[in-house]
Amino acid sequence: MAMHERGKPIAVMVVVALLGMLFAGSFLGALHSPEPHGVPVAVVGPENAVDRLGAMMDERRDGAFDLTAYGSEQDARAALLDRDVDAVFVPGRGGASLVIAGANGKIENAVLTQAFQGVGQATGQPVAVEDVVPLPADDGNGVSSIFFVITTVIPAVILAVMLAFAVPAAGAGQRIGLLAAGSVVLGGVNAWVAAGLTGALVGAPWALWGLGSLLVFAVSAFTAGALRVGGPPAAGLTVLLLVPIGVPASGGPIGPLFIPEWYAALGEWLPVSAAINAVRNTVYFDGSALGGPLLVLSLWVAAGLALVLVPKRTRAAAAEPAAP
């Protein structure tokens, strides 16, 4: 056996080990020890009272919560439904109340409940908890939106790769048209499975179809562009960015406010995190706060189209000497 043939199994093992390190390091590094940071909470009361409450909570867990004073409970509740805050705390002499949105996730709401009931114990006030956006009974952990996005992103990558092999001579316009058609089909099928067949994400099937199609187009167009410009290595790096980095950077089931801040900041600009937020806000919060997620997905679409449309130099053109 030639020396280079003997080295191939070793190279394969090295590559697989490096991939394993990337997957394990990314997922475990982000999710193994969740700690809240800057969870936004509306507190009904004057600024000075809210500042005192914030100082008390920082002594228990520094920087975990970002308290904002609201003049009325009505405005604070509206902020919760608009996705400006994740909870509302209403102090009162006879007892306080904590208003949460179960759709924000089981872990976040458990941390909020524990923290503010601890405040109640310290101040001698019982704290009643009210969930104004509860999760469906069959999705108590709130993971359906996460799995919907993951199971849309992976086929979107496959769509781009399979089209590249199925129609290698397709022009840029034809390739974009095929990607768009595939995005509508795949987005529709996944929306039907989520909203109809399984009943995991009900309430906004047409909007879910639109979001799914946009996600597929963003991922498949960028993958196709990367494959066209940089070949299989560039497409492989795109997959690594989208899955083993993008999924944990979204916070997964614990949310972006419980993973390292720098990782969450990266995740904000990746399709997985943007799509999870968009799906959750559409299905559970009547389409609130969609601007940011849709902007991120649109930027990925634009980048993908730019890569697909960029003129590709042929070997003959590259070898032709420059004119004097």
Side-chain angles (χ1 to χ4, degrees):
M1 182 183 292
M3 184 63 69
H4 70 279
E5 290 293 332
R6 293 177 182 176
K8 285 183 179 179
I10 297 176
V12 169
M13 294 177 193
V14 170
V15 170
V16 170
L18 291 174
L19 287 173
M21 287 178 60
L22 176 62
F23 272 80
S26 184
F27 276 88
L28 297 178
L31 307 177
H32 83 286
S33 181
E35 286 291 337
H37 53 81
V39 179
V41 178
V43 180
V44 179
E47 288 277 359
N48 57 351
V50 175
D51 289 341
R52 288 196 300 271
L53 176 60
M56 178 195 305
M57 300 193 74
D58 281 341
E59 290 179 0
R60 296 167 174 257
R61 187 175 259 174
D62 187 31
F65 304 99
D66 182 13
L67 307 185
T68 302
Y70 278 77
S72 71
E73 183 176 348
Q74 181 180 2
D75 290 343
R77 285 175 175 264
L80 174 62
L81 297 179
D82 289 341
R83 307 294 281 127
D84 294 329
V85 298
D86 286 1
V88 175
F89 184 63
V90 186
R93 292 183 179 179
S97 61
L98 177 67
V99 185
I100 61 173
N104 283 330
K106 188 174 183 179
I107 293 177
E108 178 175 336
N109 286 311
V111 170
L112 284 164
T113 300
Q114 181 184 32
F116 282 91
Q117 286 186 337
V119 169
Q121 291 176 355
T123 57
Q125 293 180 323
V127 177
V129 179
E130 177 187 359
D131 188 351
V132 294
V133 189
L135 286 166
D138 56 356
D139 185 24
N141 292 316
V143 296
S144 293
S145 57
I146 300 166
F147 286 118
F148 173 81
V149 169
I150 294 174
T151 54
T152 302
V153 165
I154 295 175
V157 172
I158 297 173
L159 170 67
V161 174
M162 291 186 69
L163 283 177
F165 283 98
V167 283
Q174 182 184 3
R175 191 166 302 282
I176 291 171
L178 290 171
L179 290 170
S183 298
V184 173
V185 172
L186 177 55
V189 168
N190 277 18
W192 172 71
V193 171
L197 186 63
T198 64
L201 294 168
V202 298
W206 296 106
L208 194 62
W209 185 355
L211 286 174
S213 299
L214 177 60
L215 174 61
V216 175
F217 194 45
V219 171
S220 62
F222 191 89
T223 304
L227 186 60
R228 179 176 181 274
V229 172
L237 289 174
T238 299
V239 174
L240 294 179
L241 179 63
L242 292 172
V243 181
I245 294 177
V247 174
S250 72
I254 64 177
L257 296 177
F258 287 77
I259 65 174
E261 293 184 64
W262 67 269
Y263 216 178
L266 170 64
E268 288 181 3
W269 295 100
L270 297 179
V272 171
S273 183
I276 290 173
N277 285 331
V279 169
R280 183 177 288 129
N281 292 352
T282 296
V283 174
Y284 300 126
F285 293 93
D286 296 326
S288 298
L290 287 177
L294 293 181
L295 173 62
V296 171
L297 293 175
S298 299
L299 290 175
W300 278 79
V301 168
L305 294 180
L307 291 174
V308 171
L309 293 170
V310 67
K312 190 175 182 180
R313 296 181 66 189
T314 65
R315 292 184 178 180
E320 184 178 339

